[in-house]
Amino acid sequence: MRPSRSVLAAVLAAAPSLAAQPPEVRATWIARDGLFSRQKNAATLDQLVAANVNVVCVDVWTRGYTIWPSEVAFAAGGVRQDPDPDYVGRDPLAEVVFEAHRRGIEVEAWFEYGFCFGWSGWYPGPTGTGPVLAANPTWIARDQSGNSQVPDGGGGWFTWAVHEHPDVRRFLIDLAVEVVDRYDVDGVQFDRVRYPSTDFGYDPVTSAAWQAANGSPPPANPNAAAWKRWRADGLIAFHQQLYAAVKARRASVRVTNAPVIMPLSYDSFLQDWPAWVAVGALDLVYPQVYRTTVSSYTTTLDQQLAYLTPAQRQLVAPGVRAVSGTPTSAVLGMVQANRQRGLPGHVFWYAEGLYDDLPQLQANYFQAPAAVPGRP
């Protein structure tokens, strides 16, 4: 879905203005609640381009379903697309790619749910796990007691897939490759490449893999140091596999991730994202530095940067909280903090909460368009 020649001509005609400000990631997430119609997509993108935002991360894998009609998902679970009535007869991803590109905005396909394959509150199917896990019960992640249900905080539950299962990994990578093959996306972003807690990893597949490598069953203590390190290393390997598969299909596609902040990400979720950066499995990283004051933001941001070398910090575009509870003045201060540290940009959570901040962002920081770093 590439833009027409007339659209390309318009973009090229506007190219001199891109030099008005240095390259910078100015991104925001578009969650599924912002994708309910093509008209809504266009209205969102009009507001963003008017404020010189240059990247949108659009939610393509959420609640156990894809937003595009996926043959990979159909083969695994018998359902091609989220059955939400708002999506029937539509391809929201194709719509966003077309509408964004004709406005000069890049699109990252955001796999929000990652290894979380089902939610009891959204078309969960007869088993409550969603279509893919219902069709592949050996893919279901479990804790030491055999439990698979992760509370959602509202009386329901999420069901996660086995991180070490080769078929689960293949399924997720195939979803990403399908998007890269079928859509002119500029990036692929995986979320929830982590465990729901350190209690998980006691399913038969993971237990057997640990025993084969270590000669004994997994430790009874879910926080045993070697057991935590081994599971975290498995996620490093997955991200390397994902990166290689995407780049093999189209080398220009950016691979990103929005991890939890350290040390919580490792201590609670086995997500050692600084190691992903170190092994070259990310082009940019968007740590979720979600704070409501500038002082707490800068403290947390500096803690994250301390895990990285000076060169690696050039890949960090922090996630900025821009929803109710964060004043516009604080959002502006966070952007300033990022610039003071020489970081390549900012990613705002999320579009539906960003609209009231856009006029001040545009007036104070995004006065003119900017190219995305590394792009012509």
Side-chain angles (χ1 to χ4, degrees), residues 61-80:
W61 162 247
T62 171
R63 308 181 184 193
Y65 295 90
T66 60
I67 71 162
W68 79 94
S70 169
E71 296 306 317
V72 172
F74 181 74
V79 178
R80 283 188 172 84

Side-chain angles (χ1 to χ4, degrees), residues 323-343:
V323 292
S324 178
T326 309
T328 296
S329 59
V331 173
L332 298 179
M334 295 169 193
V335 169
Q336 178 64 15
N338 294 341
R339 286 188 172 180
Q340 288 172 340
R341 287 156 178 77
L343 302 181

Side-chain angles (χ1 to χ4, degrees), residues 119-120 143 147-160 196-197 200:
W119 179 41
S120 63
D143 65 15
N147 169 62
S148 64
Q149 296 181 358
V150 179
D152 66 1
W157 69 87
F158 299 107
T159 308
W160 288 60
S197 74
F200 279 75

Side-chain angles (χ1 to χ4, degrees), residues 67-103:
I67 71 162
W68 79 94
S70 169
E71 296 306 317
V72 172
F74 181 74
V79 178
R80 283 188 172 84
Q81 187 179 23
D82 190 324
D84 185 336
D86 285 338
Y87 292 166
V88 173
R90 298 176 56 217
D91 185 339
L93 178 55
E95 294 168 11
V96 173
V97 169
F98 176 77
E99 296 293 348
H101 281 178
R102 67 197 293 257
R103 291 165 173 81

Side-chain angles (χ1 to χ4, degrees), residues 84-349:
D84 185 336
D86 285 338
Y87 292 166
V88 173
R90 298 176 56 217
D91 185 339
L93 178 55
E95 294 168 11
V96 173
V97 169
F98 176 77
E99 296 293 348
H101 281 178
R102 67 197 293 257
R103 291 165 173 81
I105 295 176
E106 291 196 3
V107 177
E108 289 191 10
W110 168 39
F111 289 78
E112 181 195 6
Y113 265 45
F115 279 89
C116 183
F117 276 39
W119 179 41
S120 63
W122 192 259
Y123 298 104
T127 65
T129 63
V132 175
L133 294 182
N136 301 276
T138 62
W139 292 13
I140 296 175
R142 299 185 185 278
D143 65 15
Q144 204 166 3
S145 67
N147 169 62
S148 64
Q149 296 181 358
V150 179
D152 66 1
W157 69 87
F158 299 107
T159 308
W160 288 60
V162 176
H163 302 73
E164 287 293 322
H165 201 306
D167 292 341
V168 169
R169 294 183 175 209
R170 185 75 263 156
F171 168 76
L172 289 173
I173 291 171
D174 285 349
L175 283 182
V177 167
E178 182 179 47
V179 165
V180 171
D181 282 347
R182 288 176 50 181
Y183 300 90
D184 191 19
V185 295
D186 305 282
V188 167
Q189 178 188 148
F190 256 74
D191 213 336
R192 290 176 174 81
V193 180
R194 54 180 170 85
Y195 280 70
S197 74
T198 58
D199 292 334
F200 279 75
Y202 291 91
D203 58 274
V205 172
T206 306
S207 296
W210 164 271
Q211 181 146 353
N214 296 278
S216 62
N221 176 8
N223 292 306
W227 176 220
K228 287 180 66 176
R229 185 69 260 168
W230 183 86
R231 285 174 289 171
D233 287 346
L235 296 183
I236 297 171
F238 168 77
H239 223 289
Q240 290 177 296
Q241 294 163 3
L242 170 71
Y243 188 91
V246 169
K247 294 295 186 177
R249 306 305 285 204
R250 187 147 44 98
S252 63
V253 174
R254 185 169 54 247
V255 177
T256 69
N257 196 290
V260 179
I261 57 170
M262 287 286 284
L264 178 67
S265 61
Y266 180 77
D267 291 343
S268 296
F269 306 114
L270 307 171
Q271 185 182 53
D272 184 6
W273 62 264
W276 305 350
V277 175
V279 300
L282 284 171
D283 295 312
L284 287 173
V285 62
Y286 310 147
Q288 299 173 32
V289 190
Y290 295 157
R291 297 293 183 266
T292 58
T293 67
V294 176
S295 61
S296 61
Y297 178 86
T298 54
T299 297
T300 304
L301 176 58
D302 287 340
Q303 289 170 347
Q304 305 313 297
L305 297 178
Y307 287 94
L308 306 170
T309 67
Q312 291 167 354
R313 293 169 196 163
Q314 297 306 304
L315 306 182
V316 178
V320 173
R321 186 184 189 275
V323 292
S324 178
T326 309
T328 296
S329 59
V331 173
L332 298 179
M334 295 169 193
V335 169
Q336 178 64 15
N338 294 341
R339 286 188 172 180
Q340 288 172 340
R341 287 156 178 77
L343 302 181
H346 342 268
V347 189
F348 300 97
W349 175 256

